[in-house]
Amino acid sequence: IADTVLCSYISAVGDGEGDALNKGGDLAVGLERVREALLGNGLQGGGGCCVICLENMSPHDSVWSCGGDDGDDEIEAATIDADVQSGCYYVMHLQCIQSWARQSLDVAGMAYAPALERGQFPGAAVAAQAAARWSCPSCRKERRRDQLPSQYTCFCAKERDPPFDPWHAPHSCGEVCGRRLRGAGCAHRCLLQCHPGPHPPCPVTVKAACFCGAAERTVRCYNQEFSCAARCDMTNACGHPCAATCHPGECPPCELEATYECRCGRTRERRACASRDFGCAEPCGAALACT
C-alpha cells in the first residue's frame, strides 16, 4: 500500500536517489516520512490504535487525522512553518476526537460560568468562551471551536465517507492528494495518492535567484533559497555596497572605514561606516535653543 501511495510521486520525479538537485537527500527523506506515517498509524495493515479510547481502528471506522491543513487549503504557504503547523498526523476515531474536543471546550467554558451566573462582565465572559480552544490529545496542537471535526473525510478531504478499498490505504479516496504544499514561494500541490502524514518536499524544478540576485539556477522548488558564494554588493542604507558573502536577510552593518567627524565637529576619527555617528566626550559648546 505504501508503494501505491508513493507511485505517482516517484513516477514523476524519482525517489531522489542520485538526483543532482536533491540537496541533502531531502526528497528521499520526505518520502520516508510518508512511509513512516503509513506504518506508524498502522494503516499499512488497516489497523492502528486510537490514542483516546485505546481501541484498535478498523479500516471501516470513521476517523480523523491531526494534519496541519484543517480544511484551510488557501493559507499563504510562505506564512506557514511546516514543522510547527503540521500537527502530529495521528489518526484517531472521529467520535472520540469529537467527544474529546467538546469536553475540552466545556471545561474551558466552566471557568466563566460563575461570572455569567452573577451577571458580571457578561460580554467578556461570552467572548472568552468563544475564544476557547481544544487540542489534539497527542501533540497538543490547539484549534478553534469552529475547527471541531464534523464529518468523516478522506485524508485530502475530497471525498466524504470514503469506502474501504483493499488496494488503497484505509480512509484514502485513492485520488491524487492535490493539497497545497507548504514552503516559501511554493504554489504547487502534492502529487501523492491521498495519504496520511506530511507531504514530501515539492519536487518541481524552478528557476530561482540567489539571495543577492546575481546568480540564477535551476533548483527544486523546496530548495529555492541559496547563496552564490560571491560578494553580495547590494547597496546598504549608507550608500556603500555590502561586502559580505551572498546571504539571506538584511545586510550586516557596513564596515567600510573612513574618517568621520563627531556630532559637534570638534573631533575626527577613523571609524567603520556603521559607527560613524559618535560623540567625542568633550563639551559640545553649541548654542542652546534658548539663547
Side-chain angles (χ1 to χ4, degrees):
I1 291 177
D3 290 337
T4 301
V5 171
L6 302 175
C7 67
S8 57
Y9 186 98
I10 294 175
S11 63
V13 300
D15 59 5
E17 298 295 337
D19 186 347
L21 301 180
N22 181 21
K23 181 181 178 182
D26 288 343
L27 292 181
V29 171
L31 292 175
E32 187 58 31
R33 290 181 65 192
V34 178
R35 284 194 180 95
E36 289 175 357
L38 283 163
L39 299 174
N41 282 306
L43 298 181
Q44 177 82 9
C49 176
C50 174
V51 72
I52 300 175
C53 69
L54 304 182
E55 296 288 340
N56 287 330
M57 291 179 291
S58 161
H60 303 280
D61 289 343
S62 297
V63 300
W64 174 81
S65 173
C66 178
D69 295 319
D70 291 325
D72 191 354
D73 198 37
E74 299 304 325
I75 296 176
E76 178 59 38
T79 66
I80 301 295
D81 183 319
D83 291 332
V84 173
Q85 293 291 330
S86 63
C88 63
Y89 299 105
Y90 207 99
V91 178
M92 55 202 82
H93 287 123
L94 177 63
Q95 287 185 332
C96 291
I97 190 60
Q98 287 175 331
S99 175
W100 172 278
R102 291 192 182 102
Q103 289 181 42
S104 299
L105 293 171
D106 288 344
V107 169
M110 287 173 61
Y112 304 98
L116 285 173
E117 291 175 359
R118 294 192 299 267
Q120 296 177 329
F121 312 110
V126 171
Q129 284 184 316
R133 297 288 190 268
W134 61 276
S135 59
C136 168
S138 177
C139 68
R140 313 307 297 180
K141 176 185 174 182
E142 290 190 341
R143 291 172 169 84
R144 303 184 305 272
R145 184 183 295 270
D146 61 359
Q147 291 176 307
L148 195 154
S150 60
Q151 59 187 22
Y152 169 43
T153 66
C154 64
F155 296 112
C156 68
K158 289 192 188 76
E159 185 172 346
R160 183 174 179 177
D161 300 321
F164 173 66
D165 186 328
W167 298 105
H168 299 149
H171 320 297
S172 167
C173 66
E175 300 296 327
V176 173
C177 172
R179 286 279 197 181
R180 276 281 303 274
L181 296 174
R182 306 304 195 193
C186 180
H188 305 115
R189 296 182 178 270
C190 181
L191 297 174
L192 295 183
Q193 188 183 88
C194 177
H195 64 94
H199 304 297
C202 181
V204 178
T205 54
V206 296
K207 291 282 189 180
C210 64
F211 296 118
C212 70
E216 188 178 78
R217 294 179 185 171
T218 299
V219 297
R220 294 291 185 188
C221 183
Y222 74 88
N223 186 35
Q224 293 189 44
E225 297 182 337
F226 70 95
S227 171
C228 66
R231 175 171 160 148
C232 173
D233 274 340
M234 295 185 71
T235 304
N236 274 314
C238 62
H240 298 135
C242 176
T245 301
C246 177
H247 60 87
E250 296 183 358
C251 293
C254 180
E255 296 296 328
L256 184 65
E257 289 192 353
T259 301
Y260 299 102
E261 290 184 348
C262 66
R263 297 188 187 99
C264 69
R266 299 174 63 182
T267 302
R268 294 172 62 85
E269 291 183 7
R270 188 166 183 81
R271 305 172 67 93
C273 178
S275 59
R276 63 194 299 172
D277 183 21
F278 70 99
C280 64
E282 296 292 332
C284 175
L288 297 174
C290 59
T291 59

